Amino acid sequence: MTGATFYITTPIYYVNDSPHLGHAYTSVACDALARFKRLDGDRVLFLTGTDEHGQKVAKSARDAGVDPQAFCDRVSENFRTMTRLMNVSNDQFIRTTEPRHASASQAIWQAIAKSKSPKGRDNLYLGKYAGWYAVRDEAFYGEDELTTGPNGTKRAPSGAEVEWVEEPSYFFRLSDWQDWLLDHYTRNPDFIAPASRRNEVTSFVKGGLTDLSISRTSFSWGVPVPGDPKHVMYVWLDALTNYLTAVGYPETASADFKTFWPADIHVVGKDIVRFHCVYWPAFLAAAGLALPKRVFAHGWWTVEGQKMSKSLGNFIAPQHLVDQYGIDAVRYFMLRELPFGSDGDFSHRAVVGRINGDLANDFGNLAQRVLSFINKNCDGKIPTPGNFIDHDGSLLNMRAGLLPSVRQCIDTQELNHALEFIWTVVAEANRYVDSQAPWALKKSDPPRMDTVLYVLAETIRHLATLAQPFVPQAAAKLLDQLAVPDDFEHRCFKALAAHPLKPGTQLPKPVGVFPRYVETVAS
Ligand code: MSP
């Protein structure tokens, strides 16, 4: 352990929907970051879960003809299953209907209720909300943000229909937080990433903030407001608080809270940036709590060029993806195909291109030809290297630089670049096989052949070790084939330098780990 800690969260998923590609993406990206940090020696808390309150969930339960709790129990389980399916290594799965979460939400409410705004006024006051609300987004919108649809219906920027709401409500004095927030963004340039999102949030806040309605009275599916149970808390205040519940809030003296709060990173989709970068920091600061160090917003997937939706029939269930392509191929594709932060398109052609190109032809072929050659020509034992020569130098140098390069990408959430670095070394290793031609050395210079094969086996060990966060199953199979003991000590990043392969180690019979995707032609 490095002594460092790392607290990472996904958004918690609304239980009105079934898990789909977009949810799987957020989870897998966070998983790669969490796995990397663990292998790098950090103590990690990786949180995911489900967002179960609010008008949208209440309506979905009503439409399904079941009581909201029973509805949440059922759908939440689908998300838990999705995380297992995607091989996501979350440490906690939180549900906002858990009693511990009601306590945390009420505690932050009470802390806000006692607090003053940066302008010295009460942060919380009772009033009446009269304005627009989009149930699908669970968000309030100003008149100036709306557009009018073809049949005269008003729509939020997200495309969600809005309805007029008029009801008694508690308000959070967000309007007093404008300068405070702008100052926070300026003093903490890493708080919002990527830069495009930071600019978007900054200009939204510069445009002026209105006070935020933080309770509802027209339905009851939520956390009751302390002291005024006719109101339930606005679902986003309740939902955001999950990040605190998981570390033991309101017990701020607890070991988990002291170890993990403030969170190192909240990873979110670009659609929910406003909640995480404007409302959440203001709520936390009002409650006297430290702010998360960073909010990273990723982009949005379309499917074969279209927005994913049930009505278009292009809704992609994670189970379908895994059945069709295999778990590691799906994870690799998602993380490699687009810069984390940008939008991208999920197309069958692009997935197959990555599977047959990067995975089968490049990495798979490298491992297969080196390990089969060792199996046939060295009694299946790790060969003993002699002296390295200049030809080996470039590969050895690239290999040595890999961990620092990948680490830097992880720290800036450039997941696709992390994979590009790894694959640059895959390509260099393939070139090295071709230029050093161990099959020719077998006759002309067997000791040199042993050196070349040792360099290659060690390179594959490096590559597999660093690929673990992204393609955990395939990487583990590769390490098994190099007879690397299956424990943290031998598979963590320290092992790269600490536990080189031992010459003479007997290897198991090699098997392919990255199969080609073969189209089945309908007959
Ligand atoms: N419940 C809120 C989050 C509360 S966090 C305190 C929510 N839930 S959600 O289920 O609608 O979305 C969860 C995540 O999935 C969001 O980060 C969202 O951006 C992401 N995605 C949903 N559809 C997506 C795509 N088509 N593409 C990429 N990610 C998308 O928001």
Side-chain angles (χ1 to χ4, degrees), residues 329-390:
V330 174
R331 288 176 62 111
Y332 179 80
F333 175 78
M334 287 176 159
L335 301 177
R336 174 68 194 260
E337 187 67 5
L338 49 128
F340 198 46
S342 307
D343 293 339
D345 187 49
F346 197 99
S347 74
H348 174 70
R349 220 174 112 244
V351 183
V352 172
R354 291 284 179 199
I355 295 180
N356 289 346
D358 303 9
L359 296 179
N361 282 355
D362 298 344
F363 201 174
N365 197 27
L366 170 71
Q368 189 65 12
R369 60 183 178 156
V370 170
L371 295 175
S372 302
F373 195 87
I374 293 177
N375 181 260
K376 285 201 196 94
N377 300 288
C378 312
D379 287 337
K381 293 194 176 113
I382 296 283
T384 306
N387 291 334
F388 298 129
I389 62 170
D390 278 354

Side-chain angles (χ1 to χ4, degrees), residues 11-14 20 22-23 51 236 239 243 269 271-272 298-301:
I12 47 171
Y13 303 108
Y14 283 129
H20 60 60
H23 304 129
D51 184 355
W236 269 100
Y243 304 134
D271 52 321
I272 54 175
H298 66 68
W300 204 253
W301 284 98

Side-chain angles (χ1 to χ4, degrees), residues 108-127:
I108 196 171
W109 180 283
Q110 278 159 330
I112 292 172
K114 279 195 276 198
S115 69
K116 296 282 182 207
S117 77
K119 295 191 175 159
R121 299 193 283 178
D122 287 344
N123 269 320
L124 195 93
Y125 64 92
L126 184 59

Side-chain angles (χ1 to χ4, degrees), residues 135-273:
V135 177
R136 197 182 83 192
D137 301 347
E138 294 285 18
F140 301 95
Y141 289 104
E143 182 81 45
D144 55 336
E145 293 183 278
L146 306 180
T147 50
T148 309
N151 47 3
T153 52
K154 299 245 185 208
R155 290 190 185 270
S158 62
E161 250 182 64
V162 291
E163 61 186 33
W164 185 257
V165 170
E166 261 189 60
E167 61 189 27
S169 174
Y170 284 93
F171 283 82
F172 177 73
R173 204 172 305 271
L174 190 63
S175 56
D176 279 5
W177 287 83
Q178 179 178 6
D179 293 343
W180 190 95
L181 284 165
L182 291 172
D183 185 50
H184 183 75
Y185 307 149
T186 309
R187 279 188 293 109
N188 300 277
D190 291 334
F191 179 59
I192 306 171
S196 53
R197 299 290 158 222
R198 186 166 165 255
N199 297 339
E200 177 190 305
V201 171
T202 307
S203 46
F204 172 75
V205 175
K206 277 191 179 149
L209 296 172
T210 48
D211 290 351
L212 182 70
S213 159
I214 54 166
S215 75
R216 305 288 311 269
T217 43
S218 49
F219 63 92
S220 60
W221 184 239
V223 178
V225 164
D228 196 350
K230 287 190 303 305
H231 292 248
V232 289
M233 287 169 61
Y234 171 40
V235 64
W236 269 100
L237 172 53
D238 145 9
L240 288 159
T241 305
N242 91 89
Y243 304 134
L244 292 172
T245 309
V247 290
Y249 184 78
E251 298 306 324
T252 50
S254 68
D256 272 356
F257 193 89
K258 288 210 299 225
T259 308
F260 291 111
W261 193 259
D264 292 272
I265 184 164
H266 295 316
V267 175
V268 301
K270 64 176 184 176
D271 52 321
I272 54 175
V273 163

